[in-house]
Amino acid sequence: MDEYTSTVRVWGLSCPGFPEEVSRARRWTRDILRGSPLADDAALIVSELSTNAIRHTASGWEPGSFHLAVAVSAQVVAVSVTDDGGAATAPKVKHQDHDAEHGRGLDMVSAIAHRVVVHDTDQGHTVTAELYSAPRLGGRSC
């Protein structure tokens, strides 16, 4: 990734809702962000959000899918995962006990990202996590 990028560049990937597609989405994200200090954090976030889409929504049902977008500018890397819906409620951060075996993924994403936004769509939900390449005034917000 060129640190002097002056415009936003956006990549998209649609994946079948199979668990093995999570590793493909993670590798794809790392490849796009190769050379960026944000690559590992973005890949971890993509892994968590993709897993959530498969486990908790129609994305994991036959013939479900999830959709990934990576947007890169000089200041921000934003990763978004859109699911196929079917969940009774929108994704939300639940501060779980450290010993909990499930339910900590979005909490972890919000701890890594500078900002996490959940949007309802006609088909499901889109979760976007933003990572800032330089410190912003006012610190982190979620």
Side-chain angles (χ1 to χ4, degrees):
M1 181 179 85
D2 184 359
E3 67 183 279
Y4 300 108
T5 303
S6 60
T7 60
V8 177
R9 300 176 84 192
V10 180
W11 292 263
L13 178 68
S14 292
C15 298
F18 302 123
E20 57 270 19
E21 292 296 314
V22 173
S23 62
R24 178 175 157 221
R26 186 174 48 246
R27 281 191 312 272
W28 180 80
T29 302
R30 266 200 198 106
D31 286 347
I32 289 170
L33 298 173
R34 183 171 285 130
S36 167
L38 302 175
D40 288 339
D41 285 347
L44 177 60
I45 289 169
V46 163
S47 183
E48 289 299 324
L49 297 181
S50 300
T51 299
N52 285 350
I54 291 170
R55 284 190 180 164
H56 303 295
T57 75
S59 292
W61 308 342
E62 187 68 33
S65 61
F66 63 94
H67 312 281
L68 173 62
V70 176
V72 179
S73 74
Q75 299 82 21
V76 179
V77 170
V79 294
S80 299
V81 173
T82 302
D83 63 47
D84 281 349
T89 61
K92 63 182 175 183
V93 175
K94 299 177 192 171
H95 299 289
Q96 297 287 343
D97 185 310
H98 291 290
D99 296 329
E101 292 184 23
H102 301 287
R104 297 185 320 190
L106 201 51
D107 190 23
M108 182 173 54
V109 168
S110 68
I112 296 169
H114 291 90
R115 188 173 107 135
V116 177
V117 179
V118 178
H119 294 285
D120 293 332
T121 68
D122 291 338
Q123 291 78 29
H125 303 94
T126 298
V127 180
T128 301
E130 296 177 355
L131 298 164
Y132 302 147
S133 57
R136 293 193 168 207
L137 295 176
R140 290 181 175 231
S141 65
C142 290

